[in-house]
Amino acid sequence: MSRSDFGIIGLGVMGKNISLNVAEKGFNLSVYNQSEGDELHVVDDFLLVNKSFKNITGFTDLGAFVNSLEQPRKMLLMIPSGKPVDSVIGTLIPLLSEGDVIIDGGNSHYSNTKKRFELLKSKNIEFLGTGISGGEEGARNGLSIMSGGSNAGYKKVSSIFEAISARDFQGNSCCTFIGPEGAGHFVKMVHNGIEYAEMQLLAELYALMSGSMNNENISEVFSFWNEGDLSSYLLEITSEILLKKEGEHYVTDLILDKAENKGTGSWSCTSAIELGIPNTMTTASVFARYISSFKYERVKFSKRIEKKSSITENFNIDELKSAYQLARIINHHQGLELITEASKTFNWNLNLSDITRIWTGGCIIKSKLMEHCVSVLKLSKSILDDNETFNSIVKSEQSITLLLKEGMSKRIALPCFNSAYNYWISMTTDALPANIIQAQRDYFGAHTYQRVDEPLHKFFHTNW
């Protein structure tokens, strides 16, 4: 019997759509899903709905699925991260041969990916921890694919990944081999951290603008911005979201204001702390979601506060635009600095320009700004090293100051904009009050300090 070129384990929303994407590109495909409980008929239903695809074969027996694949076998796991991944890998190992390739396409923590990479390396099985972005639409029509782990393994699947990925602004595939071990999943984690802050910034703009503008007006502004340098996927869909109605009500007015999360944002925060990188905007956006979850407490405490008018009068839209542009640049800079530090710490030798390139198509954070980052990072280590980018922030500083003043005067929380401003001011201030902190630490703990009038390798203690 003819064998399949590729296999996919897990027929959830993403697994189903990636399967159709692969099959549509002409590859013979085997798919597997467990047949227990409410997943009893998943494979049969998938094949029935997509019976026009004659190059897809379905399995509910893992051994038969593995045997259906051409060697070296190449299979993508689209299952929940954590223990399910370890369980499936453990079941697969005795069924595989040397040189076969397992790809974890879920949002796994990069440290777990490193452990799995080492385990499978000892079995002479190639392993790829692969970050995938694009949601349901991208899975079906073109993804951004970030692979880490085995370079030899990547070469075996690169033709398939290139076929199912989106195209960047120059027509190239939005996929690449990121680096060894957990590099692919680390980069996807940071991608999601940037995404958290981008979403929060738009939510904060809505909070400001809705005091004097209706949804149609705000949507019109966002749509107009999306035609220029601020163009992004998230800006585009937010302009559409604001117009959706259910009867006489905007859907946004019917949605409970409790934002959920799946963990990758908090992983970015933790990793930034561990690596000593001030990833303040992702952190602000994560905690904004946490605060939103305390709905009962927020309602209770709000009843004890004298209400201020939230109406914002005659706020200059151009000032809003300028402040938004500043905050987005800082957000991207912080995320890329985290990747840079991880590359140094783990000896991954990551290419920032190539990473941002595959983020220009298919993924949730694709934007004109990301395209700008691609060209800047070919010449500079940091986007703030670029004079044009740096000077644009300098010009926008007054705008974000006005935005924050407006928020404070109307009692509107703007944690992400505040975070962007504070980071920018701190990073462009030559003398911070950290000398007081060092003195305090020396006073109560004799932790010592360095002096401005002595070489930096010397440390001093004062008998306070």
Side-chain angles (χ1 to χ4, degrees):
M1 87 180 200
S2 62
R3 298 188 184 276
S4 295
D5 304 304
F6 196 62
I8 293 178
I9 295 176
L11 291 175
V13 172
M14 291 294 286
K16 288 177 182 177
N17 283 283
I18 293 175
S19 295
L20 297 177
N21 191 348
V22 171
E24 193 172 66
K25 299 305 187 294
F27 298 101
N28 291 324
L29 177 70
S30 292
V31 298
Y32 166 86
N33 200 91
Q34 64 181 5
S35 54
E36 300 174 0
D38 57 2
E39 295 184 276
L40 183 63
H41 302 295
V42 167
V43 173
D44 289 340
D45 291 346
F46 175 72
L47 295 176
L48 181 63
V49 171
N50 299 289
K51 57 187 177 182
S52 61
F53 287 90
K54 305 303 181 184
N55 55 340
I56 302 179
T57 307
F59 297 88
T60 56
D61 180 87
L62 198 57
F65 164 81
V66 170
N67 289 332
S68 74
L69 299 174
E70 185 73 37
Q71 290 185 291
R73 303 177 183 93
K74 302 170 285 290
M75 61 199 72
L76 171 65
L77 276 56
M78 293 304 301
I79 60 179
S81 61
K83 291 182 180 179
V85 175
D86 291 320
S87 176
V88 171
I89 289 176
T91 305
L92 283 171
I93 287 175
L95 303 176
L96 301 181
S97 305
E98 291 187 5
D100 287 350
V101 184
I102 297 177
I103 308 153
D104 175 14
N107 280 326
S108 291
H109 194 279
Y110 74 95
S111 62
N112 292 330
T113 300
K114 184 179 186 300
K115 294 174 185 175
R116 292 164 187 151
F117 172 80
E118 296 295 343
L119 169 66
L120 291 167
K121 184 179 179 181
S122 71
K123 309 289 185 183
N124 294 314
I125 297 171
E126 312 288 0
F127 182 66
L128 293 172
T130 299
I132 291 176
S133 178
E136 183 178 354
E137 179 184 345
R140 184 66 181 87
N141 300 308
L143 293 155
S144 176
I145 303 175
M146 301 149 255
S147 284
S150 164
N151 196 7
Y154 182 76
K155 290 177 180 178
K156 295 176 183 179
V157 301
S158 60
S159 61
I160 297 173
F161 280 179
E162 287 172 5
I164 66 171
S165 64
R167 294 297 176 263
D168 66 18
F169 62 107
Q170 295 179 323
N172 300 310
S173 298
C174 288
C175 66
T176 193
F177 179 71
I178 298 291
E181 302 170 343
H185 275 142
F186 188 95
V187 166
K188 175 56 164 54
M189 175 191 73
V190 176
H191 164 288
N192 286 19
I194 294 172
E195 177 185 310
Y196 269 55
E198 292 291 290
M199 295 169 72
Q200 179 65 26
L201 286 172
L202 286 166
E204 291 176 19
L205 282 176
Y206 169 78
L208 270 176
M209 299 166 76
S210 60
S212 59
M213 303 170 68
N214 60 29
N215 279 27
E216 281 94 344
N217 296 146
I218 300 172
S219 175
E220 185 178 352
V221 171
F222 286 175
S223 295
F224 178 70
W225 287 356
N226 199 51
E227 294 173 2
D229 292 340
L230 284 176
S231 175
S232 74
Y233 172 76
L234 284 169
L235 184 62
E236 177 185 2
I237 68 166
T238 306
S239 69
E240 295 175 5
I241 286 167
L242 290 169
L243 296 179
K244 186 69 173 178
K245 280 191 169 184
E246 190 175 292
E248 296 298 315
H249 301 282
Y250 291 111
V251 174
T252 52
D253 293 337
L254 301 174
I255 297 174
L256 184 64
D257 57 329
K258 291 173 64 174
E260 298 181 358
N261 71 95
K262 291 188 176 180
T264 48
S266 60
W267 291 352
S268 286
C269 302
T270 303
S271 296
I273 291 170
E274 292 171 346
L275 293 169
I277 296 298
N279 196 15
T280 60
M281 291 189 66
T282 295
T283 303
S285 63
V286 169
F287 281 110
R289 293 194 187 193
Y290 290 171
I291 290 173
S292 76
S293 71
F294 289 89
K295 177 69 173 179
Y296 172 79
E297 290 83 359
R298 290 190 289 115
V299 171
K300 180 179 70 173
F301 294 145
S302 70
K303 293 176 181 178
R304 298 164 61 183
I305 299 294
E306 182 180 349
K307 295 292 187 294
K308 289 187 177 182
S309 171
S310 61
I311 297 175
T312 51
E313 298 177 1
N314 301 320
F315 197 88
N316 190 314
I317 296 299
D318 289 335
E319 298 285 10
L320 277 181
K321 178 183 178 182
S322 183
Y324 177 50
Q325 191 161 22
L326 181 155
R328 293 191 65 226
I329 293 171
I330 296 298
N331 180 34
H332 285 64
H333 167 71
Q334 289 186 348
L336 293 168
E337 288 293 288
L338 180 53
I339 293 174
T340 297
E341 186 59 32
S343 182
K344 294 176 184 175
T345 300
F346 304 125
N347 296 313
W348 284 343
N349 194 30
L350 304 184
N351 184 329
L352 289 185
S353 181
D354 203 31
I355 290 169
T356 52
R357 180 191 66 77
I358 65 171
W359 286 349
T360 61
C363 72
I364 305 301
I365 59 173
K366 62 182 180 181
S367 67
K368 287 287 185 183
L369 174 57
M370 198 66 75
E371 294 176 14
H372 174 69
C373 290
V374 176
S375 57
V376 167
L377 292 169
K378 286 181 179 178
L379 303 174
S380 306
K381 293 182 179 180
S382 162
I383 59 174
L384 293 192
D385 288 337
D386 177 63
N387 285 333
E388 178 185 348
T389 305
F390 189 91
N391 290 335
S392 72
I393 300 179
V394 173
K395 293 177 182 177
S396 299
E397 189 176 308
Q398 181 64 21
S399 296
I400 197 168
T401 302
L402 293 173
L403 177 146
L404 293 173
K405 285 181 178 178
E406 183 69 16
M408 285 187 283
S409 69
K410 304 302 180 187
R411 209 171 178 274
I412 299 172
L414 303 170
C416 240
F417 277 106
N418 262 300
S419 180
Y421 174 80
N422 289 332
Y423 177 87
W424 166 249
I425 295 301
S426 294
M427 287 297 289
T428 53
T429 298
D430 61 346
L432 294 171
N435 55 328
I436 301 301
I437 295 171
Q438 284 298 85
Q440 292 167 336
R441 294 178 72 245
D442 190 58
Y443 188 105
F444 64 70
H447 292 295
T448 74
Y449 54 85
Q450 296 160 294
R451 294 176 61 103
V452 298
D453 56 353
E454 293 284 352
L456 293 179
H457 67 272
K458 292 185 177 182
F459 289 81
F460 300 85
H461 168 64
T462 292
N463 184 1
W464 300 94

